[in-house]
Amino acid sequence: MATSEFDKLMKDGYRLMEEGEYSQALSKFDKAIKADPANPAAYLAKADAAVLVPKVSQEEVIALYRKASELDPENPFILQSWGAFCMDVGLFNDAEACYNKAAQIDPENAIYYYSEFGVEYYKKALVVYEQRLDEQTRAIIAKKALKYLLKSIDLDETSVKKLL
């Protein structure tokens, strides 16, 4: 299939996503993958659409993000999207790894990856662990979130103690 066909499929898929037609978008991105199986953008787009299609399993979505990342290992945007998905489904260690790798690849924007992880982790972990949320668990969550928020402004625990 010609590149123009790939581009058309991708454009149609994005348009369908904007219209809220995620299953149809998924189909377009799937065809785009068949047209150009080495193009990471198609895997990323399919993963982003798949997140919004209930019939697609968590494992399938992760496999799509993983494939996109394997095809374009220096793309921090793929890692950020993958990390955000992991965060949404409560895979906090995987999310942390994705955000850290994105920050490593893109040090100029590392502060944004760290702060996003810190804020989202704090919000989502409290919800995920709500059933067994005691003071100790709450403190562990807050401490990890704070570590990343401090990292985002280039401070560590020792520096903060001096400031306070």
Side-chain angles (χ1 to χ4, degrees), residues 91-105:
L91 298 173
F92 300 122
N93 291 336
D94 293 343
E96 184 176 13
C98 287
Y99 281 102
N100 277 324
K101 189 169 181 192
Q104 179 186 0
I105 290 169

Side-chain angles (χ1 to χ4, degrees), residues 134-150:
D134 56 19
E135 283 309 307
Q136 183 180 2
T137 306
R138 186 181 297 276
I140 291 168
I141 292 168
K143 188 171 185 172
K144 185 174 202 166
L146 184 59
K147 172 186 153 189
Y148 278 91
L149 293 171
L150 290 172

Side-chain angles (χ1 to χ4, degrees), residues 103-162:
Q104 179 186 0
I105 290 169
D106 184 14
E108 192 174 299
N109 292 302
I111 63 172
Y112 301 109
Y113 304 119
Y114 294 143
S115 63
E116 183 175 321
F117 178 80
V119 169
E120 293 302 315
Y121 174 74
Y122 185 74
K123 288 180 1 188
K124 303 241 167 62
L126 289 175
V127 172
V128 167
Y129 297 118
E130 186 177 28
Q131 298 302 319
R132 41 188 199 277
L133 195 60
D134 56 19
E135 283 309 307
Q136 183 180 2
T137 306
R138 186 181 297 276
I140 291 168
I141 292 168
K143 188 171 185 172
K144 185 174 202 166
L146 184 59
K147 172 186 153 189
Y148 278 91
L149 293 171
L150 290 172
K151 200 172 184 178
S152 76
I153 57 172
D154 203 24
L155 290 176
D156 60 16
E157 202 174 317
T158 308
S159 302
V160 171
K161 286 178 182 174
K162 287 178 187 174

Side-chain angles (χ1 to χ4, degrees), residues 3-14:
T3 301
S4 61
E5 180 63 19
F6 173 84
D7 293 339
K8 182 182 180 332
L9 288 165
M10 292 296 289
K11 185 178 174 183
D12 289 346
Y14 289 128

Side-chain angles (χ1 to χ4, degrees), residues 10 25-26 29-30 33 41-51 61 64:
M10 292 296 289
L26 195 64
F29 296 135
D30 198 40
I33 288 170
Y43 291 92
L44 176 61
K46 185 177 177 185
D48 288 343
V51 167
V61 174
L64 290 165

Side-chain angles (χ1 to χ4, degrees), residues 26-91:
L26 195 64
S27 175
K28 293 288 182 187
F29 296 135
D30 198 40
K31 289 176 184 170
I33 288 170
K34 287 181 176 89
D36 187 355
N39 193 313
Y43 291 92
L44 176 61
K46 185 177 177 185
D48 288 343
V51 167
L52 301 162
V53 178
K55 70 177 181 170
V56 180
S57 75
Q58 183 175 303
E59 292 76 19
E60 289 175 88
V61 174
I62 290 171
L64 290 165
Y65 282 122
R66 182 175 288 116
K67 182 67 175 179
S69 187
E70 286 169 4
L71 290 169
D72 190 0
E74 297 301 308
N75 186 329
F77 182 71
I78 293 170
L79 292 162
Q80 183 182 26
S81 293
W82 184 1
F85 172 74
C86 289
M87 188 75 72
D88 285 343
V89 297
L91 298 173

